[in-house]
Amino acid sequence: MVETIQWVDGAVVMIDQTRLPLEERYVTCRTYREVAAAIRDMTIRGAPAIGVAAAMGVALGVLRASEDGLAAQMEEICATLAATRPTAVNLFWAIDRMKRVYRGVSGKPIGEIRRRLVEEALLVREEDIAICRAIGRNGAVLVPERKTVLTHCNAGALATAGYGTALGVIRAAVEAGKQIDVFADETRPFLQGARLTVWELQQDGIPTTLITDNMAGHFMKSGRIGCVVVGADRIASNGDVANKVGTYSVAVLARENGVPFFVAAPISTLDLTLASGAAIPIEQRAAAEVTHVFGQRVAPEGTVVENPAFDVTPARYVSAIVTEKGVARAPYEESLKKLVS
Ligand code: MRU
C-alpha cells in the first residue's frame, strides 16, 4: 500500500496527490509553513490525512523553533496550520491534541518538549491506520455480496495515513471474501475519484469502473449498485455529514432508488459541538479549478464560478455511520453520543 505521509529524518514526506496518477512524486516539507502550504494546495488531502499532516506540522515547527518565546511560536505554528482548510474537523482535532501535549510538557527542557511532540505526531499517524482497519472491519458486514459499491471522491489510503475509511470498508469486504466491484465517481472538479480512487484500487486488484458524477443516478436505477460508501470531513451531532461536493446528490439518488447510503469516518471526524450541518464551514476554492482542466481553460474568459469544495448531506439520507467504535444509526443525536462516550 502507498505511503501517504511519513516522518523521515526530522522532515515530513508526502506523496504529491496533485500529480497522481501520472507522476509518483514525493514532497519533503522541512518547515511547518511548507506543511501548511501542502495542505492548502492539496498536495495532501482527505480529512484524516490532513489531521496527520497538521500534527506533524506542529512537531516540525517546534523542532525548528528557538527556546526563547517558545509559547508564542507554538501559537503561531498552530494558527498557521489551522488557517489552511476550514471544513475537515480532523485538522483542528489534531492541532488541539498537539496543544494539549504541549501544555503537559511546557516548562520542561526544550529537548524533552520536542521529543514528546514528535512522538505524539507519530502516534497520530500510527493510530489512524489502526482506526481505518477497525472502520473497515465494522463496515464490511454491511456491504452486500455480489453487488457494486459506489463511492465518491477519495476516502482511501491516500486520504488517511493508510487503508482508508470508505475504501477501508471496501478493502475489508474484499479481504472477507465478498465478491464486489466498485464504481468510482470521477468527482469534479479536482478529480479525486478518477485520479486517486481508481489508482489506489487498481494497485489492490479490486475491480473498479470509473463513471462521471452525472452517471450515478443512471446506474442506481439499474439495480446494479448494492450500496454507497463515502467518507466525511465533519459530522454534526444530529448526523448531518459534510463531505466532498456532490455527496449530497448521491445520497438523494440513493434514497430515491432504495440503495443504502453509508458514511465511514473516524470518531475524530465527529464534531458534537455542532447541532446540525448548517453550522459546518464550507470551503470555497479557486475558480480555476472549475474553469480549467489540467491547466487548460474549458470555460470562456470572465465566467462567473462557484466552487464549494464540500456539501452537507442531511442525516435523514444516511443509513449508517461506520466508525472504529461501532456503527451508528438514527437517531444520531443518541447513537453518536453513545459511541463517543
Ligand atoms: O478536498 P478533499 O480531497 O480533501 O476532500 C476529501 C473528501 O471529501 C473525503 O471524502 C473526506 O475527507 C474523507 S477522507 C477519508
Side-chain angles (χ1 to χ4, degrees):
M1 201 159 36
V2 63
E3 292 291 358
T4 307
I5 179 163
Q6 283 176 294
W7 181 270
V8 183
D9 299 334
V12 180
V13 178
M14 38 183 101
I15 192 163
D16 186 346
Q17 299 193 32
T18 64
R19 305 280 184 116
L20 284 172
L22 301 181
E23 214 185 314
E24 247 177 82
R25 192 181 90 122
Y26 287 84
V27 169
T28 302
C29 300
R30 294 197 167 77
T31 67
Y32 77 90
R33 287 190 190 280
E34 285 174 0
V35 174
I39 297 172
R40 201 176 308 110
D41 70 18
M42 290 169 74
T43 299
I44 189 158
R45 34 66 50 202
I50 290 172
V52 176
M56 289 189 177
V58 173
L60 203 53
V62 171
L63 209 58
R64 304 270 184 277
S66 50
E67 198 164 0
D68 273 357
L70 184 59
Q73 291 172 83
M74 175 73 183
E75 278 302 310
E76 173 65 19
I77 292 163
C78 292
T80 304
L81 288 160
T84 50
R85 297 192 72 190
T87 305
V89 76
N90 306 62
L91 173 77
F92 308 99
W93 168 88
I95 293 170
D96 284 349
R97 178 166 164 169
M98 296 301 281
K99 277 184 178 170
R100 269 199 308 279
V101 170
Y102 175 78
R103 279 198 296 274
V105 286
S106 73
K108 298 245 160 87
I110 183 88
E112 189 176 337
I113 297 174
R114 288 178 177 146
R115 189 183 49 74
R116 250 321 266 127
L117 288 175
V118 171
E119 208 174 75
E120 192 68 14
L122 296 182
L123 197 61
V124 170
R125 177 182 177 278
E126 226 170 88
E127 283 176 5
D128 188 57
I129 300 173
I131 285 167
C132 286
R133 290 208 174 258
I135 291 171
R137 279 194 298 276
N138 292 338
V141 289
L142 302 173
V143 176
E145 259 289 9
R146 293 175 203 284
K147 284 278 196 182
T148 299
V149 180
L150 186 133
T151 191
H152 190 71
C153 192
N154 172 269
L158 290 165
T160 61
Y163 202 68
T165 56
L167 297 195
V169 169
I170 290 167
R171 286 193 165 101
V174 171
E175 283 163 20
K178 289 198 173 176
Q179 288 186 18
I180 54 168
D181 70 324
V182 176
F183 267 26
D185 282 349
E186 67 171 352
T187 318
R188 272 283 286 157
F190 208 70
L191 303 177
Q192 291 94 329
R195 297 189 302 105
L196 308 177
T197 296
V198 174
W199 182 77
E200 236 192 90
L201 293 178
Q202 267 180 359
Q203 316 242 320
D204 279 9
I206 298 175
T208 304
T209 303
L210 176 65
I211 59 169
T212 63
D213 298 344
N214 49 359
M215 293 174 188
H218 170 77
F219 285 108
M220 283 202 223
K221 204 163 138 214
S222 76
R224 178 170 177 172
I225 312 292
C227 71
V228 175
V229 188
V230 297
D233 285 81
R234 199 185 288 229
I235 300 173
S237 60
N238 69 342
D240 289 352
V241 173
N243 191 49
K244 179 53 53 192
V245 70
T247 302
Y248 170 48
S249 320
V250 173
V252 174
L253 285 166
R255 168 60 50 87
E256 169 68 17
N257 291 285
V259 175
F261 179 89
F262 301 124
V263 175
I267 294 288
S268 55
T269 301
L270 302 181
D271 186 351
L272 301 189
T273 66
L274 303 183
S276 81
I280 298 176
I282 301 294
E283 177 184 10
Q284 302 292 324
R285 292 192 60 90
E289 287 182 0
V290 179
T291 54
H292 291 63
V293 176
F294 287 113
Q296 181 73 44
R297 176 174 278 285
V298 291
E301 291 277 1
T303 301
V304 177
V305 169
E306 289 279 358
N307 187 14
F310 302 95
D311 59 25
V312 174
T313 299
R316 66 178 177 279
Y317 293 109
V318 179
S319 311
I321 297 174
V322 183
T323 75
E324 70 273 28
K325 291 199 174 168
V327 177
R329 296 210 185 242
Y332 291 106
E333 277 91 352
E334 289 164 28
S335 58
L336 292 178
K337 217 185 278 167
K338 215 180 203 172
L339 280 188
V340 170
S341 67

